[in-house]
Amino acid sequence: MNDTLKIGITCYPSLGGSGVVATELGKLLAEKGHEVHFITHSIPFRLGAFHKNIHYHEVEVSDYYVFRYPPYDLSLASKMAQVVKREKLDILHVHYAVPHAVCAYLAKQMVGEDLKIVTTLHGTDITVLGQDVTLKDLIGLAINRSDAVTAVSADLIRQTREALDITRDIDLTYNFIDKRVYYPREVAGLRGDFAAPDEKILMHISNFRPVKRVPDVIDVFHRVNREMPAKLLLVGEGPDMPKVQSKIRELGLEDKIHFLGKQDEIAQVISLADILLLPSEKESFGLVALEAMACGVPTVGSEAGGIPELVEHGVTGYLAPIGDTEAMARYAAELLRDGSKRARMREACLERAHTKFCDKKITREYEEIYYRVLGRKQPCAIAQG
Ligand code: GMT
């Protein structure tokens, strides 16, 4: 029997941290010799270079004129079943419950019990959609029928139990970053493009959805800027952009804030910052804070969801209650004034990112789950790899 596995991965390929983590996991699994099959509607944006163990299967959706809405979920379930049968996959690992875990359940009905399903919960699939009466029971079904369920923070496990009345085991598997990509970059030359030598740089990166509370970012920056020369760099875009722009105009901060839009080279961009701001209202994990941590940049943000499991208050950043922009600004200003504290935090950030959230460690945790649900013994070489 071959020791390595054949793993299908489904995720949102074109947006969000869940897609990033799923793609990075697939790449690391492939590097370890597993055969990885992405089953998605487009090529995951972080997939990068060709790798012999990585395959991509595009989900095509019927546009038959009778359908008012193209039946993506049904096409995905059928595609999953086809790929499982043809490629003899052992596992389908789906990221984000809706619709992926539901589709995987349907695919399993088509191919039989030998197929094992691992579902990873990422955030609003539980904290928002789990409250939606039109989806709640379906999400509960998909979670209960998965062979293993993982969540990216202990807080998300707690919320899953509460929102959906789930009692089954859920494994905690934190998100991770690829340390070959996320490390402090040399950007001294670039800093001058955005800030004068005496100015501090604060940064926010998100999809500008209401849950991110980007107006709070502006408020925190406004308070910090009253105390010291500073610039704010905003990375990303999304629905709250008009609200954010009008708040900036209202406060007369146009000259102090740069919009960088969507960026690919996140490690390089984050390395420009002295502090990352993350005042979210919901955040099951907050991958961007881990990306910043791995680049040596502390986060000042809210205590929402899983953020306190990632950012250790007073050690790798500072956290305040959701909406308490005054406290966040106070913490940010204190840290920006104190160079030696920033240097200590930077070291603590690097240490924490590379130990607790180490890519190799977390890939091994997922592999252990795969072998467990398959009832197979994990080969030593893979466990130690
Ligand atoms: O749940 C979402 O709104 C989107 C999702 C995503 O695809 O980025 O974000 C969630 O998953 C990320 C990866 O695990 C986490 O880092 C984010 O904290 C989480 N977002 C929320 O909980 C709002």
Side-chain angles (χ1 to χ4, degrees):
M1 186 181 64
N2 192 349
D3 282 346
T4 53
L5 301 176
K6 293 184 172 206
I7 305 158
I9 294 184
T10 294
C11 62
Y12 285 108
S14 51
L15 83 170
S18 60
V20 170
V21 169
T23 309
E24 295 299 341
L25 176 64
K27 283 158 57 177
L28 291 170
L29 291 166
E31 279 175 29
K32 292 186 77 175
H34 301 292
E35 195 178 296
V36 175
H37 293 257
F38 284 95
I39 308 168
T40 49
H41 60 69
S42 53
I43 295 190
F45 72 112
R46 290 274 182 98
L47 200 50
F50 165 78
H51 190 289
K52 72 177 164 69
N53 287 336
I54 294 186
H55 308 258
Y56 167 63
H57 307 271
E58 184 176 341
V59 180
E60 281 158 7
V61 184
S62 168
D63 60 357
Y64 188 54
Y65 74 99
V66 166
F67 298 140
R68 179 160 174 207
Y69 304 107
Y72 172 70
D73 308 354
L74 301 182
S75 301
L76 174 60
S78 298
K79 188 76 181 191
M80 284 170 161
Q82 282 165 12
V83 176
V84 168
K85 276 197 226 161
R86 193 178 63 230
E87 306 291 343
K88 302 190 171 30
L89 301 190
D90 301 296
I91 302 257
L92 272 181
H93 186 173
V94 292
H95 294 257
Y96 208 86
V98 191
H100 304 148
V102 180
C103 297
Y105 170 63
L106 206 49
K108 185 164 175 163
Q109 304 313 301
M110 294 161 78
V111 301
E113 284 298 309
D114 282 352
L115 173 68
K116 301 298 173 199
I117 299 172
V118 176
T119 295
T120 293
L121 306 173
H122 279 276
T124 49
D125 44 356
I126 300 302
T127 57
V128 175
L129 301 176
Q131 321 279 339
D132 182 333
V133 287
T134 67
L135 293 170
K136 195 178 161 131
D137 292 346
L138 197 57
I139 298 173
L141 173 83
I143 289 177
N144 281 322
R145 298 297 170 88
S146 297
D147 296 283
V149 177
T150 78
V152 298
S153 63
D155 186 75
L156 187 58
I157 295 179
R158 182 188 60 73
Q159 295 211 46
T160 306
R161 297 203 183 295
E162 261 177 42
L164 297 166
D165 220 2
I166 300 275
T167 52
R168 63 161 299 154
D169 283 350
I170 301 177
D171 290 278
L172 172 60
T173 44
Y174 284 123
N175 288 331
F176 61 88
I177 35 82
D178 183 342
K179 59 172 178 286
R180 293 168 299 187
V181 177
Y182 289 92
Y183 58 88
R185 303 294 185 92
E186 183 41 61
V187 287
L190 260 185
R191 242 186 107 100
D193 291 351
F194 300 100
D198 65 330
E199 284 178 322
K200 298 287 185 261
I201 296 184
L202 293 85
M203 185 175 287
H204 174 74
I205 305 179
S206 78
N207 46 26
F208 286 60
R209 287 183 305 160
V211 287
K212 302 290 176 182
R213 294 183 71 103
V214 190
D216 281 6
V217 171
I218 309 303
D219 201 35
V220 172
F221 176 71
H222 179 52
R223 291 167 188 271
V224 170
N225 182 55
R226 285 198 300 230
E227 305 217 1
M228 66 186 69
K231 284 276 166 59
L232 174 65
L233 306 189
L234 293 174
V235 183
E237 53 186 45
D240 266 0
M241 194 58 107
K243 208 168 164 182
V244 170
Q245 281 163 332
S246 77
K247 179 150 189 163
I248 293 170
R249 274 194 304 275
E250 243 168 62
L251 296 170
L253 291 170
E254 293 96 323
D255 296 342
K256 292 283 186 171
I257 299 179
H258 294 284
F259 286 94
L260 303 191
K262 286 189 180 172
Q263 293 288 328
D264 280 338
E265 296 294 327
I266 290 296
Q268 179 117 8
V269 175
I270 291 185
S271 297
L272 283 167
D274 295 300
I275 278 184
L276 181 87
L277 296 176
L278 188 65
S280 311
E281 186 171 304
K282 290 183 191 295
E283 203 69 77
S284 69
F285 183 82
L287 187 64
V288 69
L290 176 56
E291 292 172 339
M293 193 186 283
C295 294
V297 178
T299 291
V300 174
S302 72
E303 292 160 348
I307 298 178
E309 294 168 59
L310 173 59
V311 177
E312 236 184 322
H313 179 72
V315 181
T316 59
Y318 288 109
L319 303 179
I322 298 166
D324 191 346
T325 51
E326 193 191 327
M328 290 178 209
R330 191 164 10 90
Y331 285 133
E334 210 177 285
L335 187 55
L336 290 169
R337 257 188 232 109
D338 188 342
S340 59
K341 185 173 252 176
R342 277 206 315 286
R344 281 200 303 281
M345 275 206 175
R346 176 189 159 88
E347 289 314 308
C349 280
L350 296 176
E351 160 75 17
R352 188 166 168 81
H354 293 144
T355 52
K356 191 162 170 134
F357 304 101
C358 163
D359 46 5
K360 284 195 167 165
K361 170 176 160 279
I362 287 157
T363 304
R364 279 198 297 268
E365 289 172 7
Y366 278 117
E367 286 173 305
E368 271 168 35
I369 293 169
Y370 299 156
Y371 284 99
R372 187 182 81 211
V373 296
L374 286 165
R376 290 196 212 163
K377 191 171 159 12
Q378 187 175 10
C380 289
I382 289 179
Q384 286 153 14

